[in-house]
């Protein structure tokens, strides 16, 4: 799974990295300890709301981490859907419509995973690549029935991070890992005009294993109140 990650990049970095055309909402502060149910910045493509025939625009906007399906009775279900298994996203009711219509990218400097130790404890690791990672995600809208139609918070935007089986080099830490898109697959992944679930399935199956490096870090990352670049500093184990 992926339950914590780091994203210390500014909006300007993400605009350049993903060729973003439209920035929506205020910038979020950098975080080295992003946790579920927090607001995060996501990259996605959408046509203007009242002009569905217009070519989609690549946006950077704020969403909440923890997917809430449109049919959910309340937003609390988001805490259970922070991850989506890539093997079944085109089949599961909670994810299949988003897999067809609402794919996105979450940028990360790396993510954390906890390895079970012989003494019963857990050692956190920071897993990273050579640069910015692009996690494959899905996003959804949830309409709050308690709010009037013109309320600015009427629609809740939420997101989940897709995961897959970890490669042997990482599987000893945890058996799941985020789906990381290589740069040459980002455009296809974000294109909302690709809606056929068989084509989406083929695209997912074609995503290669990421090349990531695990780094043991201190246990301070386990507390969501802790933040800062010191969390990704290596420690001796």
């Amino acid at each position: 799974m992926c339950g914590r990650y780091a994203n210390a990049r500014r909006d300007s970095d993400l605009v350049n990295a993903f060729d973003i055309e439209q920035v929506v909402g205020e910038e979020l502060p950098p975080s080295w300890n992003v946790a579920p149910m927090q607001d995060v910045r996501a990259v996605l493509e959408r046509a203007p709301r009242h002009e569905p025939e217009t070519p989609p625009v690549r946006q950077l906007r704020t969403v909440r981490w923890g997917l809430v399906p449109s049919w959910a009775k309340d937003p609390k279900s988001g805490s259970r859907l922070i991850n989506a298994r890539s093997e079944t996203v085109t089949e599961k009711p909670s994810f299949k419509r988003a897999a067809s219509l609402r794919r996105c990218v979450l940028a990360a400097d790396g993510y954390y995973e906890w390895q079970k130790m012989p003494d019963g404890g857990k050692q956190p690791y920071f897993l990273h690549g050579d640069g910015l990672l692009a996690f494959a995600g899905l996003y959804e809208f949830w309409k709050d029935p308690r709010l009037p139609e013109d309320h600015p918070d009427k629609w809740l935007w939420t997101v989940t991070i897709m995961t897959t089986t970890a490669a042997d080099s990482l599987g000893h830490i945890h058996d799941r890992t985020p789906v990381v898109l290589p740069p040459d697959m980002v455009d296809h992944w974000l294109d909302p005009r690709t809606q056929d679930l068989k084509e989406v399935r083929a695209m997912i199956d074609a995503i290669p294993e990421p090349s990531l490096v695990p780094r043991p870090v201190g246990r301070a990352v386990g507390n969501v109140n802790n933040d800062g670049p010191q969390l990704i500093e290596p420690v001796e184990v």
Side-chain angles (χ1 to χ4, degrees):
M1 64 175 293
C2 175
R4 299 283 179 82
Y5 70 94
N7 178 26
R9 307 300 177 107
R10 309 304 302 181
D11 278 3
S12 57
D13 299 324
L14 303 182
V15 167
N16 292 329
F18 294 101
D19 297 322
I20 290 165
E21 303 168 78
Q22 183 181 26
V23 177
V24 181
E26 295 186 6
E27 184 169 21
L28 297 177
S31 176
W32 287 264
N33 199 2
V34 182
M37 307 304 285
Q38 292 182 352
D39 285 345
V40 297
R41 291 296 245 177
V43 181
L44 54 93
E45 288 188 8
R46 291 185 60 79
R49 182 177 179 184
H50 300 295
E51 302 175 42
E53 301 304 319
T54 302
V57 175
R58 186 167 297 185
Q59 302 178 348
L60 178 67
R61 66 161 59 235
T62 299
V63 297
R64 195 181 74 181
W65 184 13
L67 194 81
V68 180
S70 60
W71 39 262
K73 293 183 179 179
D74 63 64
K76 295 179 181 178
S77 62
S79 62
R80 300 190 299 272
L81 298 177
I82 64 169
N83 292 154
R85 294 178 69 92
S86 63
E87 298 89 341
T88 56
V89 291
T90 56
E91 304 166 9
K92 294 287 187 179
S94 296
F95 304 120
K96 64 185 297 184
R97 187 161 177 80
S100 171
L101 301 173
R102 289 180 283 276
R103 297 180 299 276
C104 65
V105 164
L106 288 91
D109 293 295
Y111 71 101
Y112 301 95
E113 204 54 85
W114 280 257
Q115 182 183 28
K116 294 181 180 179
M117 305 301 287
D119 63 0
K122 292 184 178 182
Q123 171 61 49
Y125 282 81
F126 181 67
L127 297 97
H128 62 95
D130 292 331
L132 188 65
L133 302 179
F135 293 160
L138 309 173
Y139 71 97
E140 266 292 2
F141 313 115
W142 182 77
K143 189 176 183 179
D144 193 334
R146 302 165 298 180
L147 299 177
E149 291 296 327
D150 59 350
H151 195 282
D153 297 326
K154 181 67 175 177
W155 290 94
L156 175 66
W157 293 59
T158 60
V159 68
T160 187
I161 296 173
M162 285 176 34
T163 66
T164 188
T165 301
D168 289 345
S169 60
L170 302 177
H172 67 285
I173 297 174
H174 197 279
D175 62 347
R176 304 292 293 178
T177 186
V179 174
V180 179
L181 293 163
D184 61 355
M185 293 189 73
V186 168
D187 289 349
H188 192 191
W189 179 255
L190 291 177
D191 191 346
R193 293 167 293 194
T194 302
Q195 299 181 5
D196 183 86
L197 285 173
K198 290 183 179 179
E199 186 173 350
V200 175
R201 178 76 266 153
M203 179 166 43
I204 293 172
D205 292 342
I207 298 172
E209 293 180 356
S211 178
L212 302 175
V213 178
R215 174 198 302 166
V217 295
R219 288 182 167 82
V221 68
N223 186 333
V224 296
N225 294 317
N226 294 330
D227 201 353
Q230 72 279 3
L231 295 181
I232 65 172
E233 291 298 319
V235 299
E236 294 290 337
V237 295

